[in-house]
Amino acid sequence: MDNFQAYGEFARVYDMFQDNVDYQTWGKWLKQQLAAQGITDGLVLDLGCGTGTMTEILAEAGYDMIGVDNSGEMLAEAMEKRVESGHDILYLLQDMQEFELYGTVRAVVSVCDSLNYITEEEELEHVFALVNNYLDPQGIFLFDMNTVYKYQTMIGNTTIAETRDEGSFIWENSYDEETGINTYELALFIPREDGLYEKDEEVHYQRAYSLEKIKELIGKAGMELLAVYDAYTLEPPKEDSGRLTFVVREHGK
């Protein structure tokens, strides 16, 4: 069963409901990490790029960006941003579990818990191996993942609802301790010109992986783990970290 669903109608209003995400701070952290590894330009892949918010931030910083996502709707939003910015970004409609590039890149980034959508250990290891394959020698992989703590304690079995002028949503979470799978049920209400609301429903699945498991899969994929931090800081992981960021290096093919 393929648990990696593409966003549908929600893509149109995704950015509106993500305005609590500090992409600029995250982008600054990514740029600092890349610069620390001597990567200040060249090809960089944004894996699970969504609507291209981070892709644009890194393009603005001078990187030659490629964005991969499996949602045509999300990429349509990204392409609108590309028209506005004028950045020369290559967007590819591909599943991150089977992505293909024309050659290697200096770095790969994946933000906003895109990798938690991969719900099988073997598949996550496969994605890590693909990243390793498409990285230049000593290339860098920067990514974040939600933690087990976040699903168990912070969002598991909760309902989040918001109402805005542009639309409303109800976001129900249910976490299964045994499988580590968190199910998101999204109900979206978008106002129409006639004053009525259009309802769209989507279901998404994410999986929580322990830090030890992620480290193990990075090693199995042939990469070298350089550092793990509490979210987009330089602090070590904490017991109550909701998000972890990883700095990983290509370690031979």
Side-chain angles (χ1 to χ4, degrees):
M1 175 179 165
D2 183 3
N3 285 330
F4 193 83
Q5 290 82 0
Y7 279 92
E9 286 298 309
F10 195 56
R12 287 190 291 131
V13 291
Y14 179 84
D15 289 338
M16 177 178 70
F17 292 117
Q18 285 289 96
D19 62 4
N20 61 326
V21 175
D22 191 351
Y23 284 106
Q24 291 298 334
T25 296
W26 292 13
K28 184 178 178 183
W29 185 92
L30 292 172
K31 287 180 278 187
Q32 287 172 338
Q33 292 294 329
L34 290 171
Q37 299 296 329
I39 302 171
T40 54
D41 58 11
L43 283 169
V44 174
L45 168 67
D46 186 355
L47 193 58
C49 64
T51 62
T53 302
M54 188 58 71
T55 329
E56 287 283 351
I57 290 171
L58 293 176
E60 183 67 30
Y63 295 101
D64 298 320
M65 296 304 298
I66 302 168
V68 163
D69 203 275
N70 77 330
S71 167
E73 290 88 351
M74 295 287 263
L75 289 181
E77 299 295 322
M79 288 173 185
E80 284 189 21
K81 291 178 189 171
R82 183 178 64 185
V83 170
E84 291 173 21
S85 71
H87 289 136
D88 188 14
I89 299 168
L90 172 65
Y91 284 114
L92 301 172
L93 179 61
Q94 296 181 353
D95 190 323
M96 67 165 65
Q97 296 179 37
E98 300 296 339
F99 75 90
E100 291 183 56
L101 303 181
Y102 304 114
T104 57
V105 295
R106 297 193 73 185
V108 176
V109 302
S110 186
V111 304
C112 232
D113 47 84
S114 291
L115 290 167
N116 288 104
Y117 278 102
I118 299 172
T119 55
E120 299 292 336
E121 280 182 26
E122 302 78 21
E123 291 170 0
L124 185 57
E125 182 188 334
H126 178 64
V127 171
F128 287 164
L130 272 178
V131 167
N132 197 44
N133 183 57
Y134 282 112
L135 279 173
D136 287 345
Q138 304 293 293
I140 295 297
F141 181 28
L142 304 173
F143 66 93
D144 73 37
M145 291 188 83
N146 284 339
T147 62
V148 172
Y149 179 86
K150 181 168 187 174
Y151 294 114
Q152 279 181 334
T153 309
M154 298 168 78
I155 62 172
N157 305 313
T158 62
T159 299
I160 302 164
E162 278 193 36
T163 299
R164 314 257 186 112
D165 291 342
E166 305 93 329
S168 305
F169 76 84
I170 301 170
W171 189 313
E172 293 184 77
N173 296 278
S174 52
Y175 180 67
D176 186 316
E177 293 275 355
E178 280 189 30
T179 63
I181 301 285
N182 190 75
T183 304
Y184 296 90
E185 293 185 60
L186 280 169
L188 186 67
F189 303 88
I190 300 295
R192 300 190 316 204
E193 288 183 6
D194 61 6
L196 297 176
Y197 282 77
E198 189 175 313
K199 181 183 180 185
D200 288 292
E201 293 182 283
E202 299 180 17
V203 180
H204 296 264
Y205 303 93
Q206 287 190 326
R207 180 172 174 185
Y209 293 89
S210 68
L211 177 55
E212 292 69 31
K213 178 56 67 177
I214 296 167
K215 287 179 176 178
E216 177 193 324
L217 297 178
I218 287 168
K220 280 186 175 180
M223 289 191 287
E224 178 185 7
L225 178 63
L226 299 182
V228 187
Y229 298 110
D230 173 35
Y232 288 87
T233 70
L234 296 179
E235 299 293 319
K238 304 176 177 66
E239 282 187 15
D240 62 352
S241 294
R243 185 185 301 273
L244 298 177
T245 44
F246 296 80
V247 182
V248 177
R249 184 161 58 199
E250 189 275 346
H251 197 54
K253 303 291 191 270

